[in-house]
PDB file of all heavy atoms in Angstrom:
ATOM      1  N   VAL B 212      94.646 -22.414   4.945  1.00 98.00           N
ATOM      2  CA  VAL B 212      95.398 -23.625   5.289  1.00 98.00           C
ATOM      3  C   VAL B 212      94.856 -24.274   6.564  1.00 98.00           C
ATOM      4  O   VAL B 212      94.639 -25.489   6.617  1.00 98.00           O
ATOM      5  CB  VAL B 212      96.903 -23.313   5.422  1.00 98.00           C
ATOM      6  CG1 VAL B 212      97.667 -24.533   5.938  1.00 98.00           C
ATOM      7  CG2 VAL B 212      97.475 -22.869   4.066  1.00 98.00           C
ATOM      8  N   GLY B 213      94.610 -23.457   7.586  1.00 98.00           N
ATOM      9  CA  GLY B 213      94.116 -24.012   8.852  1.00 98.00           C
ATOM     10  C   GLY B 213      92.779 -24.725   8.689  1.00 98.00           C
ATOM     11  O   GLY B 213      92.592 -25.851   9.165  1.00 98.00           O
ATOM     12  N   ALA B 214      91.848 -24.074   7.987  1.00 98.00           N
ATOM     13  CA  ALA B 214      90.517 -24.668   7.817  1.00 98.00           C
ATOM     14  C   ALA B 214      90.605 -25.960   7.008  1.00 98.00           C
ATOM     15  O   ALA B 214      89.934 -26.961   7.320  1.00 98.00           O
ATOM     16  CB  ALA B 214      89.592 -23.663   7.117  1.00 98.00           C
ATOM     17  N   ARG B 215      91.441 -25.971   5.979  1.00 98.00           N
ATOM     18  CA  ARG B 215      91.578 -27.174   5.165  1.00 98.00           C
ATOM     19  C   ARG B 215      92.237 -28.306   5.957  1.00 98.00           C
ATOM     20  O   ARG B 215      91.874 -29.477   5.813  1.00 98.00           O
ATOM     21  CB  ARG B 215      92.393 -26.869   3.904  1.00 98.00           C
ATOM     22  CG  ARG B 215      91.639 -25.988   2.912  1.00 98.00           C
ATOM     23  CD  ARG B 215      90.603 -26.789   2.129  1.00 98.00           C
ATOM     24  NE  ARG B 215      91.253 -27.631   1.132  1.00 98.00           N
ATOM     25  CZ  ARG B 215      90.870 -28.874   0.808  1.00 98.00           C
ATOM     26  NH1 ARG B 215      89.841 -29.425   1.432  1.00 98.00           N
ATOM     27  NH2 ARG B 215      91.508 -29.550  -0.118  1.00 98.00           N
ATOM     28  N   LEU B 216      93.197 -27.957   6.810  1.00 98.00           N
ATOM     29  CA  LEU B 216      93.819 -28.995   7.645  1.00 98.00           C
ATOM     30  C   LEU B 216      92.781 -29.587   8.599  1.00 98.00           C
ATOM     31  O   LEU B 216      92.776 -30.795   8.842  1.00 98.00           O
ATOM     32  CB  LEU B 216      95.010 -28.425   8.424  1.00 98.00           C
ATOM     33  CG  LEU B 216      96.278 -28.164   7.611  1.00 98.00           C
ATOM     34  CD1 LEU B 216      97.314 -27.427   8.459  1.00 98.00           C
ATOM     35  CD2 LEU B 216      96.872 -29.473   7.080  1.00 98.00           C
ATOM     36  N   ASP B 217      91.910 -28.730   9.124  1.00 98.00           N
ATOM     37  CA  ASP B 217      90.857 -29.230  10.012  1.00 98.00           C
ATOM     38  C   ASP B 217      89.977 -30.253   9.296  1.00 98.00           C
ATOM     39  O   ASP B 217      89.598 -31.275   9.875  1.00 98.00           O
ATOM     40  CB  ASP B 217      89.986 -28.070  10.510  1.00 98.00           C
ATOM     41  CG  ASP B 217      90.680 -27.248  11.586  1.00 98.00           C
ATOM     42  OD1 ASP B 217      91.624 -27.770  12.211  1.00 98.00           O
ATOM     43  OD2 ASP B 217      90.289 -26.088  11.788  1.00 98.00           O
ATOM     44  N   GLU B 218      89.665 -29.963   8.031  1.00 98.00           N
ATOM     45  CA  GLU B 218      88.832 -30.883   7.251  1.00 98.00           C
ATOM     46  C   GLU B 218      89.571 -32.183   6.937  1.00 98.00           C
ATOM     47  O   GLU B 218      89.022 -33.279   7.043  1.00 98.00           O
ATOM     48  CB  GLU B 218      88.495 -30.267   5.887  1.00 98.00           C
ATOM     49  CG  GLU B 218      87.383 -29.243   5.858  1.00 98.00           C
ATOM     50  CD  GLU B 218      87.391 -28.473   4.528  1.00 98.00           C
ATOM     51  OE1 GLU B 218      87.712 -29.083   3.472  1.00 98.00           O
ATOM     52  OE2 GLU B 218      87.105 -27.270   4.579  1.00 98.00           O
ATOM     53  N   LEU B 219      90.811 -32.026   6.492  1.00 98.00           N
ATOM     54  CA  LEU B 219      91.546 -33.179   5.956  1.00 98.00           C
ATOM     55  C   LEU B 219      92.175 -34.034   7.050  1.00 98.00           C
ATOM     56  O   LEU B 219      92.401 -35.225   6.852  1.00 98.00           O
ATOM     57  CB  LEU B 219      92.645 -32.698   4.994  1.00 98.00           C
ATOM     58  CG  LEU B 219      92.146 -32.022   3.715  1.00 98.00           C
ATOM     59  CD1 LEU B 219      93.305 -31.335   2.988  1.00 98.00           C
ATOM     60  CD2 LEU B 219      91.503 -33.074   2.800  1.00 98.00           C
ATOM     61  N   ALA B 220      92.486 -33.424   8.181  1.00 98.00           N
ATOM     62  CA  ALA B 220      93.142 -34.160   9.270  1.00 98.00           C
ATOM     63  C   ALA B 220      92.401 -33.893  10.572  1.00 98.00           C
ATOM     64  O   ALA B 220      92.949 -33.304  11.500  1.00 98.00           O
ATOM     65  CB  ALA B 220      94.610 -33.740   9.391  1.00 98.00           C
ATOM     66  N   PRO B 221      91.143 -34.339  10.663  1.00 98.00           N
ATOM     67  CA  PRO B 221      90.328 -33.995  11.840  1.00 98.00           C
ATOM     68  C   PRO B 221      90.891 -34.561  13.140  1.00 98.00           C
ATOM     69  O   PRO B 221      90.602 -34.052  14.212  1.00 98.00           O
ATOM     70  CB  PRO B 221      88.951 -34.591  11.511  1.00 98.00           C
ATOM     71  CG  PRO B 221      89.199 -35.622  10.456  1.00 98.00           C
ATOM     72  CD  PRO B 221      90.387 -35.143   9.682  1.00 98.00           C
TER      73      PRO B 221
END
Side-chain angles (χ1 to χ4, degrees):
Chain B
V212 173
R215 290 282 286 142
L216 286 172
D217 284 340
E218 280 166 35
L219 294 168

